[in-house]
């Protein structure tokens, strides 16, 4: 296996154990960057030795059934694919999510108010205004990493994570927002909750959304 390799102002390629490789795109996170990642995933799944091509936030993970004798050919393919500049434009579906903001459903909304200095009604309005694009799925089954949140409500992750955040929790972590697909730990700031179910193993497909789909949050109720 090769060592991590990074060109000046270029992508970073590093190994993940003996059975995976991570490609990290240069530059800030954006929908244009992510569309190139989606295209690379579609191409890479057909490359020799690749078992999975999993798009992440501004990155692409390749896994292998068997560790390659040399990663040089794959690294070359990844760099050529990135430099080609091709992108995928997906016509994803739009899902509206009614959210109860604040109160027991959003116990950390007060922390977002304190950090940003913005009033409650403005934070809710700013959070609901964009149409968010699903950049990638990860963290846990059905969880969507979203792009498009207004940086005015960006709030640092919590120093002490919660051990059991309920499913459907709408949270802010840094410059991102997301919705927990199931109960579990989280270090993000929970500002509300939705009743929509993002993952159901009995459903086909089990995940409600996929990369390229879109979310619009709507106000069901605001609890002071």
């Amino acid at each position: 296996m090769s060592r991590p390799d990074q060109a000046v102002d270029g992508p970073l390629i590093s190994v993940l154990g003996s059975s995976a490789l991570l490609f990290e795109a240069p530059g800030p996170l954006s929908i244009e960057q992510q569309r190139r990642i989606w295209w690379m995933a579609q191409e890479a799944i057909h490359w020799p030795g690749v078992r999975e091509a999993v798009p992440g936030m501004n990155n692409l993970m390749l896994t292998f059934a068997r560790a390659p004798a040399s990663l040089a050919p794959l690294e070359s393919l990844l760099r050529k694919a990135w430099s080609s500049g091709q992108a995928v434009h997906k016509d994803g579906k739009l899902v509206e999510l009614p959210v109860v903001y604040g109160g027991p459903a959003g116990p950390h909304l007060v922390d977002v108010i304190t950090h940003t200095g913005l009033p409650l009604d403005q934070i809710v309005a700013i959070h609901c205004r964009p149409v968010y694009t699903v950049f990638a799925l990860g963290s846990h089954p059905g969880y969507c990493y979203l792009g498009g949140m207004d940086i005015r409500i960006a709030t640092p992750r919590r120093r002490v994570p919660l051990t059991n955040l309920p499913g459907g929790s709408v949270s802010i972590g840094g410059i991102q927002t997301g919705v927990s697909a199931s109960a579990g730990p989280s270090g993000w700031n929970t500002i509300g909750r939705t009743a929509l179910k993002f993952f159901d193993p009995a459903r086909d497909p089990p995940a409600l959304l996929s990369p390229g789909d879109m979310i619009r949050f709507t106000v069901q109720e605001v609890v002071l």
Side-chain angles (χ1 to χ4, degrees):
M1 306 294 279
S2 70
R3 61 177 175 76
D5 180 27
Q6 185 177 24
V8 176
D9 296 325
L12 173 67
I13 300 176
S14 54
V15 295
L16 301 175
S18 61
S19 59
L21 184 71
L22 184 67
F23 173 93
E24 298 178 75
L29 182 67
S30 68
I31 185 59
E32 291 77 17
Q33 293 269 86
Q34 200 66 20
R35 285 176 177 143
R36 292 171 70 179
I37 292 290
W38 294 340
W39 179 81
M40 290 177 66
Q42 292 180 359
E43 294 295 303
I45 195 61
H46 302 294
W47 295 347
V50 174
R51 182 178 63 179
E52 293 178 298
V54 184
M57 295 291 281
N58 224 27
N59 62 62
L60 175 66
M61 182 180 69
L62 304 183
T63 67
F64 319 108
R66 297 167 58 183
S70 171
L71 290 178
L74 283 169
E75 291 180 354
S76 178
L77 286 171
L78 284 166
R79 294 188 189 282
K80 288 179 180 177
W82 179 255
S83 64
S84 75
Q86 298 194 50
V88 170
H89 293 268
K90 298 186 178 185
D91 294 323
K93 62 180 177 289
L94 173 63
V95 175
E96 293 198 347
L97 265 66
V99 177
V100 175
Y101 286 94
H108 307 138
L109 185 54
V110 65
D111 297 323
V112 178
I113 293 171
T114 300
H115 176 76
T116 63
L118 299 173
L120 170 62
D121 58 347
Q122 190 172 352
I123 288 173
V124 172
I126 291 172
H127 189 259
C128 290
R129 186 170 297 127
V131 174
Y132 297 90
T133 300
V134 178
F135 276 31
L137 299 183
S139 178
H140 57 272
Y143 182 83
C144 301
Y145 287 100
L146 305 176
M149 192 184 78
D150 193 313
I151 62 171
R152 287 179 293 170
I153 56 173
T155 304
R157 299 183 185 192
R158 305 189 66 77
R159 293 184 178 180
V160 179
L162 300 180
T163 57
N164 192 27
L165 191 70
S169 295
V170 179
S171 304
I172 291 175
I175 62 171
Q176 294 178 252
T177 187
V179 186
S180 298
S182 59
S186 175
W188 289 27
N189 302 282
T190 302
I191 62 172
R193 191 174 303 156
T194 180
L196 198 64
K197 195 170 185 179
F198 278 72
F199 185 81
D200 182 353
R203 190 168 54 202
D204 185 22
L208 175 66
L209 298 171
S210 58
D213 288 338
M214 292 161 287
I215 285 176
R216 177 186 285 122
F217 295 106
T218 62
V219 180
Q220 178 178 336
E221 184 181 3
V222 178
V223 181
L224 300 177

